[in-house]
Amino acid sequence: MRPKIIFMPHANIQYSQLKPEKRQWVMQNCYDKLFEVIDNGSYKIAFEASGITIDAMAQVEPRICARLKRLVKEGKIEPVSSPYIHFMNANVPPEVCRHSLIHGLDTWEKHIGVRPKTGWNPECGWAGYIPQIYHECGIETLVMDADSFFLSFDEIRSATKLGFDVQGHSNKNHLFKIEEYIKDKNKFLKYITNASVAPNGLKMIFRSDCMANPLLWYLMGATEGMRAEPVSMGEIRDMFAAWKERIAQSGEFIMPYAEDAEYIGSSAYFYVKQFNQARFFEHEPQSVERFREILDAAAEDYDFAFPSEVTSDELIPNEYVENIEMGVAWHGGTAKAWANTEYSRIMDAVCRSVFDGITAVRAETGASKHLEAAMKALASAYVSDSRWPPAPTSPGRFNVRESLDDMYAANEHIRRAMEAGGISQKRSLYSPNLMQTQIKAIDDELMGMTYFGE
């Protein structure tokens, strides 16, 4: 029997530095080009998108949304969901995470006609409550980050000399050291080549930068002084061959690409992430053809599979998932790095005050449409891409502007909830007027900053 292979591009239309006026361009030149590849070939993939990405596609590019819906119906794409808003789950109140995750599932069902059973955790930011929340919301399988999982083992951390630091972006280009250490150790390999199950019953599939990073560099065709020559298709074939041998010894599949869909058709965030260059979402049409080449190379020795197709057999019990450090993220980075940028430190305290206001008013008046709207606006204010990256780069001014506007909106919805509930005078619960001045204060501070690329 041939080994299986899972590809899962994931889409986030709220990307840092992706200007609102260029979001439709990304839908046309990235998402639609990806769907065209799948439509015209004998491939199948998983595709993840935040709820707001699906909503935006349905509103701005209904033809592309219809194509996605058809490919799902035809069994060529398996949908994967995440919170409606692309935020760092580990950095928001668990109730906000749960609320937005349900909103995202509702949106997939509304526009695509299915409610995904597989989930994605944005940036793989980790907190111990995440498996419980996803499972409670109806997600059966969660795509996980193998690198942060493996670095929870003292043996691997000691051997690789890799660690976590909230002041570091990532260890992305050094995570190959994990692969070098575990390549002949089935006790670790089995977690990448098999599905496992958390103590609460949530199934898990692990992705790793040891495969995704070479594929990304191949898509970009870049050297930028880091290599004498771009990553070649020969290197990609060698990688697939090496993992085929490892699967034969330890399991049944790999997930080599669980990375941004925006890299298929554009440079997305590659140049700012790797080289601190103010280059964002440049047209990269060759990356579409390179992605097709990757799929064709994989098809020579692997069978394409969906997440649901590798989680139906016997699963490996995985209690070690509880040892993943709270506050880590993918790429060898940390969720806490997102929480420690100057933008987060300014905005998160205000967002928390708004959340506490929603909670206090709901306890007094009960649920209402106004408080529901306040929660949605608050979730949007927490979007991770208005908080990342740290100096010397930054989010776009417009990313931060959108979060500030969401805070104003959430505050106004709480005001209306208090009026509708007849408790406008109970300002000891929450003061919309005072909070308005608080938001204005951070608005002035944040908009007074200079942003990367300006």
Side-chain angles (χ1 to χ4, degrees):
M1 181 179 294
R2 287 172 25 122
K4 298 181 178 69
I5 193 164
I6 304 170
F7 289 86
M8 192 197 79
H10 48 82
N12 167 28
I13 207 63
Q14 293 176 295
Y15 225 119
S16 179
Q17 293 286 358
L18 175 55
K19 294 181 178 180
E21 58 267 26
K22 199 167 186 178
R23 288 170 179 170
Q24 184 175 12
W25 182 93
V26 165
M27 295 176 198
Q28 296 168 343
N29 289 277
C30 298
Y31 307 157
D32 196 37
K33 297 300 183 184
L34 167 63
F35 299 156
E36 183 177 353
V37 169
I38 303 308
D39 209 358
N40 296 332
S42 55
Y43 319 114
K44 63 181 184 181
I45 63 168
F47 178 74
E48 186 277 329
S50 62
I52 195 171
T53 301
I54 297 295
D55 248 348
M57 201 185 310
Q59 293 163 11
V60 177
E61 284 289 348
R63 177 191 61 82
I64 299 175
C65 190
R67 186 177 215 172
L68 171 60
K69 183 176 182 178
R70 175 175 58 80
L71 289 170
V72 169
K73 186 175 181 179
E74 291 175 357
K76 301 199 74 175
I77 290 181
E78 182 165 276
V80 179
S81 189
S82 61
Y84 182 84
I85 297 296
H86 187 278
F87 49 48
M88 187 65 82
N89 282 327
N91 294 346
V92 305
E95 184 182 342
V96 175
C97 173
R98 181 183 292 103
H99 182 274
S100 193
L101 184 54
I102 292 171
H103 189 190
L105 289 165
D106 290 343
T107 304
W108 270 95
E109 189 169 24
K110 174 184 177 182
H111 294 301
I112 309 302
V114 294
R115 200 169 186 85
K117 295 296 184 183
T118 300
W120 171 248
N121 173 17
E123 318 292 348
C124 297
W126 191 252
Y129 51 75
I130 286 172
Q132 177 184 350
I133 289 175
Y134 273 75
H135 206 224
E136 288 175 353
C137 291
I139 294 295
E140 297 177 358
T141 303
L142 183 61
V143 177
M144 301 280 292
D145 178 58
D147 304 312
S148 56
F149 171 70
F150 285 137
L151 288 178
S152 69
F153 290 88
D154 291 338
E155 176 184 343
I156 295 177
R157 189 175 293 196
S158 176
T160 61
K161 309 302 181 187
L162 295 172
F164 295 107
D165 185 337
V166 300
Q167 294 182 314
H169 273 222
S170 72
N171 293 311
K172 187 177 180 68
N173 291 324
H174 301 283
L175 294 175
F176 68 89
K177 296 177 183 178
I178 297 175
E179 179 184 7
E180 285 296 307
Y181 184 71
I182 69 171
K183 63 185 179 182
D184 58 355
K185 297 176 177 62
N186 289 345
K187 67 175 182 177
F188 295 127
L189 285 175
K190 68 181 182 180
Y191 292 109
I192 292 186
T193 60
N194 297 278
S196 56
V197 59
N200 74 330
L202 182 70
K203 302 172 188 177
M204 298 177 293
I205 298 172
F206 286 86
R207 53 81 62 200
S208 170
D209 275 338
C210 69
M211 288 177 272
N213 205 34
L215 292 177
L216 174 57
W217 278 78
Y218 180 72
L219 286 175
M220 293 296 97
T223 58
E224 299 302 310
M226 302 288 286
R227 294 172 53 100
E229 299 289 340
V231 173
S232 69
M233 177 48 65
E235 292 175 75
I236 301 303
R237 291 181 186 276
D238 288 345
M239 182 184 75
F240 285 149
W243 279 98
K244 181 181 178 182
E245 293 180 7
R246 293 166 190 166
I247 292 171
Q249 298 298 318
S250 62
E252 63 168 324
F253 72 88
I254 52 171
M255 175 182 268
Y257 193 88
E259 260 285 2
D260 299 346
E262 293 80 10
Y263 287 124
I264 303 167
S266 87
S267 64
Y269 216 54
F270 184 78
Y271 291 101
V272 64
K273 183 179 291 185
Q274 295 288 348
F275 314 114
N276 289 333
Q277 297 179 11
R279 298 172 59 185
F280 317 106
F281 298 92
E282 297 174 354
H283 195 200
E284 290 283 353
Q286 288 301 311
S287 65
V288 178
E289 182 56 33
R290 291 189 190 111
F291 188 71
R292 190 196 314 270
E293 291 170 359
I294 289 170
L295 295 175
D296 287 339
E300 294 174 8
D301 291 307
Y302 294 82
D303 290 332
F304 296 110
F306 291 144
S308 62
E309 293 175 319
V310 301
T311 56
S312 57
D313 297 331
E314 186 174 348
L315 304 173
I316 298 174
N318 189 348
E319 71 277 12
Y320 298 111
V321 68
E322 296 181 339
N323 297 346
I324 301 174
E325 291 189 46
M326 181 176 184
V328 301
W330 70 347
H331 303 332
T334 69
K336 289 187 180 296
W338 267 262
N340 275 285
T341 65
E342 57 185 324
Y343 319 100
S344 295
R345 289 177 175 177
I346 294 169
M347 289 191 285
D348 284 1
V350 178
C351 285
R352 182 70 204 204
S353 293
V354 172
F355 173 72
D356 289 343
I358 293 171
T359 302
V361 172
R362 186 197 299 128
E364 188 78 10
T365 67
S368 70
K369 65 178 182 180
H370 301 296
L371 291 177
E372 174 69 11
M375 276 291 284
K376 289 179 177 177
L378 173 64
S380 190
Y382 267 119
V383 64
S384 66
D385 291 272
S386 68
R387 291 157 166 78
W388 188 260
T393 49
S394 77
R397 178 181 295 274
F398 69 89
N399 293 113
V400 177
R401 178 74 263 158
E402 287 181 336
S403 281
L404 289 166
D405 291 344
D406 288 330
M407 290 179 214
Y408 285 120
N411 185 56
E412 183 59 29
H413 287 306
I414 299 173
R415 181 195 307 277
R416 294 176 185 176
M418 294 178 74
E419 290 172 354
I423 61 167
S424 293
Q425 302 309 310
K426 292 190 175 182
R427 289 186 286 270
S428 61
L429 286 174
Y430 183 80
S431 175
N433 292 342
L434 195 58
M435 183 54 64
Q436 179 85 4
T437 68
Q438 176 66 52
I439 299 170
K440 180 61 167 60
I442 68 167
D443 188 333
D444 292 343
E445 181 176 1
L446 288 164
M447 290 297 100
M449 294 178 177
T450 299
Y451 289 84
F452 186 61
E454 293 184 340

